[in-house]
Amino acid sequence: MKLIARRKEEQQETTTVRVGDVIIGGPQLVVIAGPCAIESYDQLLSTALEVQRLGATMLRGGAYKPRTSPYSFRGKGVGGLEMLAQIKALTGLPVVTEVMDARDIERVGLVADMFQIGSRNMQNYTLLTEIGKTKHPVFLKRGLASTLEEWIYAAEYIMAEGNDQVVLCERGIRTFETYTRNTVDITAIPALKELTHLPVFLDPSHGTGKWSLVNPVGLAGVAAGADGLMIEVHPQPELALSDGDQSLNFKHFAEFMDRLRPVAKAVGREVL
């Protein structure tokens, strides 16, 4: 861990990562919000406008979706990227979207302000190496059953190629528990703060798989020291083509943001 390790003897501060006009790792708590998968222009536009109005500073939206079943909705691909580009131009929100294949890096990079490396690709070392050769900020999610050490070394692959703009995102790990989709490792947030100098996010949507748990678990992550949250939001989660059970509707996202502000303030963070 030559590049990612925190140098305690120098009291090294958290590295900040700039994504457009957004600074991750500073005093502002960054909220990334949007749909799991881009389904239509209207769906993405309405969600972007609403989450922006409520205080989110970045937009998420999947054009390419890795799904367990090949028969599930796997995104709109290039069409989704085109919609993302149009709505980015309208709202000014920096966007983060997943890249699944090294062959798509250039294409996705024309739209994305930040590359997302999903849980299933955390140890795709060819992809990590190629991403590391770019200057794009990277949002690296924890693998489904990865240890902190494995996750940290995945980030090291990116940084070893010259890209130090990396953000780590805890998104829950697979355990014997079946009530929730995954088991959120809150401990990972302060542990990573001790071990590394990189900003740390929490994704309580994938972490729990239940919209009703996103609020309390998200707040717990902020209290534990997370630099930001990634939240799935959909105009009509009951009709979503991907992960509707874990997505907040607009009303629930508004309630979440109202509850988030005093918790963030209590730990010295700012929320728009």
Side-chain angles (χ1 to χ4, degrees), residues 21-23 27-31 51-58 93-94 253 257-258 260-261 264 269-272:
D21 293 330
V22 176
I23 303 296
Q28 181 182 335
L29 183 79
V30 176
V31 177
V51 299
Q52 183 178 44
R53 183 182 73 83
L54 293 169
T57 50
M58 290 181 62
L93 286 171
F253 184 67
M257 293 299 291
D258 285 342
L260 176 64
R261 288 184 173 87
R269 308 305 285 262
E270 303 169 356
V271 181
L272 288 183

Side-chain angles (χ1 to χ4, degrees), residues 3 132-135 156-165:
L3 300 172
K133 296 175 182 177
T134 75
K135 299 300 182 183
E156 192 81 9
Y157 263 88
I158 298 169
M159 297 181 69
E161 296 297 328
N163 188 346
D164 62 354
Q165 296 293 286

Side-chain angles (χ1 to χ4, degrees), residues 140-186:
L140 180 64
K141 287 196 166 187
R142 186 178 186 176
L144 292 170
S146 297
T147 66
L148 293 184
E149 183 179 42
E150 290 167 339
W151 186 13
I152 287 170
Y153 274 118
E156 192 81 9
Y157 263 88
I158 298 169
M159 297 181 69
E161 296 297 328
N163 188 346
D164 62 354
Q165 296 293 286
V166 180
V167 175
L168 303 172
C169 180
E170 164 64 30
R171 47 81 68 204
I173 51 176
R174 181 171 290 170
T175 68
F176 55 81
E177 181 54 65
T178 58
Y179 179 72
T180 53
R181 178 175 180 174
N182 296 290
T183 298
V184 176
D185 184 5
I186 293 292

Side-chain angles (χ1 to χ4, degrees), residues 4-271:
I4 196 173
R6 183 180 291 277
R7 296 187 297 274
K8 294 182 179 180
E9 68 278 4
E10 300 176 16
Q11 295 184 329
Q12 186 181 18
E13 296 182 355
T14 298
T15 296
T16 57
V17 174
R18 176 181 287 274
V19 186
D21 293 330
V22 176
I23 303 296
I24 298 174
Q28 181 182 335
L29 183 79
V30 176
V31 177
I32 302 173
C36 174
I38 299 168
E39 300 169 2
S40 70
Y41 180 85
D42 289 342
Q43 170 240 17
L44 186 60
L45 177 61
S46 63
T47 304
L49 292 173
E50 189 66 7
V51 299
Q52 183 178 44
R53 183 182 73 83
L54 293 169
T57 50
M58 290 181 62
L59 175 67
R60 65 151 293 152
Y64 299 93
K65 295 301 301 178
R67 304 300 299 276
T68 300
S69 170
Y71 308 113
S72 298
F73 177 67
R74 293 189 286 166
K76 288 188 171 292
V78 175
L81 290 176
E82 291 172 351
M83 295 178 206
L84 203 57
Q86 292 169 22
I87 289 165
K88 170 184 170 180
L90 282 172
T91 64
L93 286 171
V95 301
V96 53
T97 193
E98 185 164 357
V99 57
M100 295 169 49
D101 192 310
R103 294 170 295 184
D104 293 327
I105 290 174
E106 183 176 359
R107 176 185 294 163
V108 176
L110 293 174
V111 176
D113 297 283
M114 188 177 211
F115 289 131
Q116 176 178 308
I117 303 296
S119 181
R120 291 172 176 84
N121 275 313
M122 190 208 79
Q123 290 181 302
N124 181 339
Y125 298 122
T126 299
L127 179 60
L128 297 178
T129 298
E130 293 304 312
I131 287 285
K133 296 175 182 177
T134 75
K135 299 300 182 183
H136 263 61
V138 184
F139 194 79
L140 180 64
K141 287 196 166 187
R142 186 178 186 176
L144 292 170
S146 297
T147 66
L148 293 184
E149 183 179 42
E150 290 167 339
W151 186 13
I152 287 170
Y153 274 118
E156 192 81 9
Y157 263 88
I158 298 169
M159 297 181 69
E161 296 297 328
N163 188 346
D164 62 354
Q165 296 293 286
V166 180
V167 175
L168 303 172
C169 180
E170 164 64 30
R171 47 81 68 204
I173 51 176
R174 181 171 290 170
T175 68
F176 55 81
E177 181 54 65
T178 58
Y179 179 72
T180 53
R181 178 175 180 174
N182 296 290
T183 298
V184 176
D185 184 5
I186 293 292
T187 308
I189 298 169
L192 288 170
K193 290 287 187 176
E194 286 187 356
L195 293 169
T196 84
H197 57 85
L198 299 182
V200 182
F201 260 62
L202 173 65
D203 176 353
S205 300
H206 277 91
T208 65
K210 295 178 180 289
W211 73 264
S212 62
L213 300 180
V214 169
N215 194 320
V217 174
L219 298 181
V222 173
D227 296 291
L229 299 170
M230 174 175 271
I231 308 293
E232 291 191 356
V233 181
H234 193 286
Q236 295 178 286
E238 65 278 6
L239 300 179
L241 299 179
S242 175
D243 291 346
D245 289 344
Q246 66 193 38
S247 299
L248 302 184
N249 61 27
F250 296 165
K251 176 177 179 291
H252 293 144
F253 184 67
E255 293 171 352
F256 172 75
M257 293 299 291
D258 285 342
R259 291 191 64 190
L260 176 64
R261 288 184 173 87
V263 175
K265 184 177 180 180
V267 293
R269 308 305 285 262
E270 303 169 356
V271 181

